[in-house]
Short mmCIF file of all heavy atoms in Angstrom, two decimals:
data_model
loop_
_atom_site.label_atom_id
_atom_site.label_comp_id
_atom_site.label_asym_id
_atom_site.label_seq_id
_atom_site.Cartn_x
_atom_site.Cartn_y
_atom_site.Cartn_z
N ALA A 198 12.40 30.24 77.76
CA ALA A 198 12.07 30.41 76.34
C ALA A 198 12.94 31.47 75.69
O ALA A 198 13.08 31.49 74.46
CB ALA A 198 10.59 30.77 76.19
N TRP A 199 13.53 32.38 76.48
CA TRP A 199 14.39 33.42 75.92
C TRP A 199 15.79 32.89 75.59
O TRP A 199 16.55 33.58 74.91
CB TRP A 199 14.51 34.59 76.89
CG TRP A 199 13.21 35.31 77.10
CD1 TRP A 199 12.05 35.09 76.43
CD2 TRP A 199 12.96 36.36 78.02
NE1 TRP A 199 11.07 35.94 76.89
CE2 TRP A 199 11.60 36.73 77.87
CE3 TRP A 199 13.73 37.03 78.96
CZ2 TRP A 199 11.01 37.74 78.61
CZ3 TRP A 199 13.14 38.04 79.73
CH2 TRP A 199 11.79 38.39 79.54
N GLY A 200 16.14 31.73 76.07
CA GLY A 200 17.44 31.14 75.76
C GLY A 200 18.48 31.44 76.83
O GLY A 200 18.39 32.42 77.58
N TRP A 201 19.51 30.58 76.90
CA TRP A 201 20.54 30.72 77.91
C TRP A 201 21.36 31.98 77.72
O TRP A 201 21.73 32.66 78.68
CB TRP A 201 21.44 29.49 77.89
CG TRP A 201 22.71 29.67 78.66
CD1 TRP A 201 23.97 29.72 78.16
CD2 TRP A 201 22.85 29.83 80.08
NE1 TRP A 201 24.89 29.91 79.16
CE2 TRP A 201 24.22 29.98 80.36
CE3 TRP A 201 21.94 29.87 81.13
CZ2 TRP A 201 24.71 30.16 81.65
CZ3 TRP A 201 22.42 30.05 82.42
CH2 TRP A 201 23.79 30.20 82.66
N HIS A 202 21.67 32.34 76.48
CA HIS A 202 22.54 33.49 76.24
C HIS A 202 21.82 34.82 76.40
O HIS A 202 22.47 35.87 76.30
CB HIS A 202 23.13 33.41 74.82
CG HIS A 202 24.05 32.24 74.63
ND1 HIS A 202 25.29 32.16 75.23
CD2 HIS A 202 23.89 31.08 73.94
CE1 HIS A 202 25.87 31.02 74.91
NE2 HIS A 202 25.05 30.35 74.12
N TRP A 203 20.51 34.79 76.66
CA TRP A 203 19.79 36.06 76.85
C TRP A 203 20.35 36.83 78.05
O TRP A 203 20.40 38.06 78.02
CB TRP A 203 18.30 35.79 77.07
CG TRP A 203 17.50 37.06 77.14
CD1 TRP A 203 16.92 37.73 76.10
CD2 TRP A 203 17.20 37.83 78.31
NE1 TRP A 203 16.28 38.85 76.54
CE2 TRP A 203 16.43 38.95 77.90
CE3 TRP A 203 17.49 37.69 79.66
CZ2 TRP A 203 15.97 39.90 78.78
CZ3 TRP A 203 17.04 38.65 80.55
CH2 TRP A 203 16.29 39.74 80.11
N GLY A 204 20.80 36.15 79.08
CA GLY A 204 21.37 36.83 80.24
C GLY A 204 22.60 37.64 79.88
O GLY A 204 22.79 38.75 80.37
N ASP A 205 23.45 37.11 78.99
CA ASP A 205 24.63 37.86 78.54
C ASP A 205 24.21 39.09 77.75
O ASP A 205 24.78 40.17 77.91
CB ASP A 205 25.53 36.97 77.68
CG ASP A 205 26.06 35.77 78.46
OD1 ASP A 205 26.32 35.92 79.67
OD2 ASP A 205 26.22 34.69 77.87
N TYR A 206 23.22 38.91 76.87
CA TYR A 206 22.75 40.05 76.09
C TYR A 206 22.18 41.14 76.99
O TYR A 206 22.44 42.33 76.79
CB TYR A 206 21.69 39.60 75.09
CG TYR A 206 22.13 38.52 74.14
CD1 TYR A 206 21.24 37.57 73.66
CD2 TYR A 206 23.45 38.43 73.71
CE1 TYR A 206 21.64 36.57 72.79
CE2 TYR A 206 23.87 37.43 72.85
CZ TYR A 206 22.95 36.50 72.39
OH TYR A 206 23.36 35.52 71.53
N PHE A 207 21.42 40.72 77.99
CA PHE A 207 20.79 41.70 78.88
C PHE A 207 21.83 42.51 79.64
O PHE A 207 21.72 43.74 79.75
CB PHE A 207 19.86 40.99 79.86
CG PHE A 207 19.25 41.89 80.89
CD1 PHE A 207 18.25 42.79 80.56
CD2 PHE A 207 19.70 41.86 82.21
CE1 PHE A 207 17.70 43.63 81.50
CE2 PHE A 207 19.16 42.69 83.16
CZ PHE A 207 18.14 43.58 82.81
N ILE A 208 22.87 41.87 80.17
CA ILE A 208 23.89 42.58 80.92
C ILE A 208 24.65 43.54 80.03
O ILE A 208 24.97 44.68 80.42
CB ILE A 208 24.83 41.58 81.61
CG1 ILE A 208 24.07 40.82 82.70
CG2 ILE A 208 26.02 42.29 82.23
CD1 ILE A 208 23.47 41.69 83.78
N SER A 209 24.96 43.11 78.80
CA SER A 209 25.67 44.00 77.88
C SER A 209 24.83 45.22 77.53
O SER A 209 25.34 46.36 77.53
CB SER A 209 26.05 43.23 76.60
OG SER A 209 26.90 42.15 76.90
N VAL A 210 23.55 45.00 77.24
CA VAL A 210 22.67 46.13 76.91
C VAL A 210 22.47 47.01 78.13
O VAL A 210 22.38 48.24 78.01
CB VAL A 210 21.33 45.59 76.36
CG1 VAL A 210 20.33 46.73 76.17
CG2 VAL A 210 21.55 44.87 75.05
N LEU A 211 22.39 46.42 79.32
CA LEU A 211 22.23 47.21 80.53
C LEU A 211 23.38 48.19 80.71
O LEU A 211 23.18 49.37 81.04
CB LEU A 211 22.12 46.28 81.75
CG LEU A 211 21.92 46.97 83.10
CD1 LEU A 211 20.54 47.57 83.20
CD2 LEU A 211 22.16 45.97 84.24
N GLY A 212 24.61 47.72 80.51
CA GLY A 212 25.76 48.62 80.61
C GLY A 212 25.71 49.74 79.59
O GLY A 212 26.03 50.89 79.90
N ALA A 213 25.29 49.42 78.36
CA ALA A 213 25.19 50.45 77.32
C ALA A 213 24.10 51.46 77.64
O ALA A 213 24.27 52.67 77.42
CB ALA A 213 24.93 49.79 75.97
N VAL A 214 22.99 50.99 78.18
CA VAL A 214 21.88 51.90 78.53
C VAL A 214 22.30 52.84 79.66
O VAL A 214 21.98 54.04 79.63
CB VAL A 214 20.63 51.09 78.90
CG1 VAL A 214 19.58 51.99 79.54
CG2 VAL A 214 20.05 50.42 77.66
N ILE A 215 23.01 52.33 80.65
CA ILE A 215 23.47 53.19 81.74
C ILE A 215 24.43 54.26 81.20
O ILE A 215 24.38 55.42 81.63
CB ILE A 215 24.13 52.34 82.84
CG1 ILE A 215 23.08 51.47 83.52
CG2 ILE A 215 24.84 53.22 83.86
CD1 ILE A 215 23.64 50.53 84.57
N ALA A 216 25.27 53.87 80.26
CA ALA A 216 26.16 54.86 79.64
C ALA A 216 25.35 55.91 78.88
O ALA A 216 25.65 57.11 78.94
CB ALA A 216 27.14 54.17 78.71
N ASP A 217 24.30 55.48 78.18
CA ASP A 217 23.46 56.43 77.45
C ASP A 217 22.70 57.34 78.41
O ASP A 217 22.45 58.52 78.08
CB ASP A 217 22.47 55.68 76.57
CG ASP A 217 23.17 54.93 75.44
OD1 ASP A 217 24.32 55.29 75.12
OD2 ASP A 217 22.57 53.97 74.90
N MET A 218 22.32 56.86 79.56
CA MET A 218 21.65 57.70 80.55
C MET A 218 22.54 58.84 80.99
O MET A 218 22.06 59.94 81.28
CB MET A 218 21.23 56.85 81.76
CG MET A 218 20.09 55.89 81.48
SD MET A 218 19.89 54.64 82.79
CE MET A 218 19.74 55.67 84.24
N ALA A 219 23.84 58.60 81.06
CA ALA A 219 24.78 59.64 81.49
C ALA A 219 25.22 60.54 80.34
O ALA A 219 25.53 61.72 80.57
CB ALA A 219 26.00 58.99 82.14
N GLU A 220 25.26 60.01 79.12
CA GLU A 220 25.83 60.77 78.01
C GLU A 220 24.79 61.32 77.05
O GLU A 220 24.94 62.43 76.54
CB GLU A 220 26.82 59.88 77.23
CG GLU A 220 28.04 59.47 78.04
CD GLU A 220 29.00 58.62 77.23
OE1 GLU A 220 28.57 58.05 76.20
OE2 GLU A 220 30.17 58.53 77.62
N CYS A 221 23.75 60.56 76.74
CA CYS A 221 22.77 61.00 75.72
C CYS A 221 21.37 60.51 76.09
O CYS A 221 20.81 59.66 75.39
CB CYS A 221 23.18 60.51 74.33
SG CYS A 221 23.63 58.75 74.27
N PRO A 222 20.79 61.02 77.18
CA PRO A 222 19.46 60.55 77.59
C PRO A 222 18.33 60.99 76.68
O PRO A 222 17.22 60.48 76.79
CB PRO A 222 19.31 61.16 78.99
CG PRO A 222 20.15 62.39 78.96
CD PRO A 222 21.33 62.04 78.10
N LEU A 223 18.59 61.93 75.76
CA LEU A 223 17.56 62.41 74.84
C LEU A 223 17.61 61.70 73.49
O LEU A 223 16.82 62.02 72.60
CB LEU A 223 17.68 63.92 74.63
CG LEU A 223 17.42 64.78 75.88
CD1 LEU A 223 17.64 66.25 75.55
CD2 LEU A 223 16.00 64.55 76.39
N ALA A 224 18.52 60.75 73.34
CA ALA A 224 18.60 59.99 72.09
C ALA A 224 17.48 58.94 72.05
O ALA A 224 17.04 58.45 73.09
CB ALA A 224 19.96 59.32 71.97
N PRO A 225 17.00 58.59 70.86
CA PRO A 225 15.95 57.56 70.77
C PRO A 225 16.42 56.22 71.33
O PRO A 225 17.60 55.89 71.29
CB PRO A 225 15.67 57.47 69.26
CG PRO A 225 16.16 58.76 68.70
CD PRO A 225 17.33 59.17 69.55
N LEU A 226 15.47 55.46 71.86
CA LEU A 226 15.80 54.15 72.41
C LEU A 226 16.28 53.19 71.32
O LEU A 226 17.24 52.45 71.50
CB LEU A 226 14.58 53.56 73.11
CG LEU A 226 14.26 54.08 74.51
CD1 LEU A 226 12.92 53.51 74.97
CD2 LEU A 226 15.35 53.72 75.48
N VAL A 227 15.58 53.19 70.21
CA VAL A 227 15.87 52.27 69.11
C VAL A 227 16.02 53.08 67.83
O VAL A 227 15.17 53.92 67.53
CB VAL A 227 14.73 51.24 68.95
CG1 VAL A 227 15.00 50.31 67.79
CG2 VAL A 227 14.54 50.45 70.24
N PRO A 228 17.11 52.86 67.08
CA PRO A 228 18.26 51.99 67.40
C PRO A 228 19.16 52.62 68.45
O PRO A 228 19.04 53.82 68.74
CB PRO A 228 18.97 51.87 66.06
CG PRO A 228 18.67 53.16 65.36
CD PRO A 228 17.27 53.53 65.77
N ALA A 229 20.02 51.81 69.03
CA ALA A 229 20.92 52.31 70.08
C ALA A 229 21.81 53.41 69.53
O ALA A 229 22.37 53.29 68.43
CB ALA A 229 21.78 51.17 70.63
N PRO A 230 21.95 54.53 70.23
CA PRO A 230 22.75 55.65 69.72
C PRO A 230 24.24 55.33 69.74
O PRO A 230 24.72 54.55 70.56
CB PRO A 230 22.42 56.79 70.69
CG PRO A 230 22.05 56.10 71.96
CD PRO A 230 21.37 54.82 71.55
N THR A 231 24.94 55.95 68.83
CA THR A 231 26.41 55.84 68.78
C THR A 231 26.97 57.25 68.70
O THR A 231 27.25 57.75 67.61
CB THR A 231 26.86 55.01 67.56
OG1 THR A 231 26.27 55.58 66.36
CG2 THR A 231 26.44 53.57 67.70
N PRO A 232 27.10 57.93 69.84
CA PRO A 232 27.64 59.30 69.83
C PRO A 232 29.02 59.34 69.20
O PRO A 232 29.83 58.40 69.36
CB PRO A 232 27.69 59.66 71.32
CG PRO A 232 26.74 58.72 71.98
CD PRO A 232 26.80 57.46 71.19
N PRO A 233 29.34 60.41 68.48
CA PRO A 233 30.65 60.47 67.79
C PRO A 233 31.82 60.40 68.75
O PRO A 233 32.85 59.81 68.43
CB PRO A 233 30.58 61.81 67.05
CG PRO A 233 29.50 62.59 67.72
CD PRO A 233 28.51 61.59 68.21
N TRP A 234 31.68 60.99 69.96
CA TRP A 234 32.80 60.94 70.89
C TRP A 234 33.05 59.52 71.39
O TRP A 234 34.18 59.14 71.65
CB TRP A 234 32.54 61.88 72.07
CG TRP A 234 31.31 61.56 72.85
CD1 TRP A 234 31.17 60.68 73.87
CD2 TRP A 234 30.01 62.13 72.66
NE1 TRP A 234 29.88 60.65 74.35
CE2 TRP A 234 29.15 61.54 73.62
CE3 TRP A 234 29.49 63.09 71.79
CZ2 TRP A 234 27.80 61.89 73.71
CZ3 TRP A 234 28.15 63.42 71.90
CH2 TRP A 234 27.32 62.83 72.84
N ARG A 235 32.00 58.71 71.46
CA ARG A 235 32.17 57.32 71.88
C ARG A 235 32.83 56.51 70.77
O ARG A 235 33.68 55.65 71.04
CB ARG A 235 30.83 56.71 72.25
CG ARG A 235 30.94 55.36 72.93
CD ARG A 235 29.57 54.80 73.25
NE ARG A 235 28.82 55.66 74.15
CZ ARG A 235 27.54 55.48 74.47
NH1 ARG A 235 26.88 54.47 73.94
NH2 ARG A 235 26.94 56.30 75.30
N VAL A 236 32.47 56.78 69.52
CA VAL A 236 33.09 56.08 68.40
C VAL A 236 34.57 56.41 68.33
O VAL A 236 35.42 55.52 68.13
CB VAL A 236 32.38 56.46 67.08
CG1 VAL A 236 33.10 55.83 65.90
CG2 VAL A 236 30.92 56.01 67.11
N LEU A 237 34.93 57.68 68.50
CA LEU A 237 36.33 58.07 68.46
C LEU A 237 37.12 57.43 69.59
O LEU A 237 38.26 56.98 69.40
CB LEU A 237 36.45 59.60 68.53
CG LEU A 237 35.93 60.37 67.31
CD1 LEU A 237 35.99 61.87 67.58
CD2 LEU A 237 36.72 60.01 66.07
#
Side-chain angles (χ1 to χ4, degrees):
W199 295 354
W201 166 248
H202 295 290
W203 186 89
D205 298 325
Y206 302 148
F207 175 73
I208 293 301
S209 299
V210 173
L211 181 70
V214 168
I215 292 177
D217 293 339
M218 289 166 54
E220 295 181 341
C221 48
L223 295 177
L226 281 173
V227 178
T231 54
W234 60 86
R235 190 181 300 172
V236 175
L237 292 175

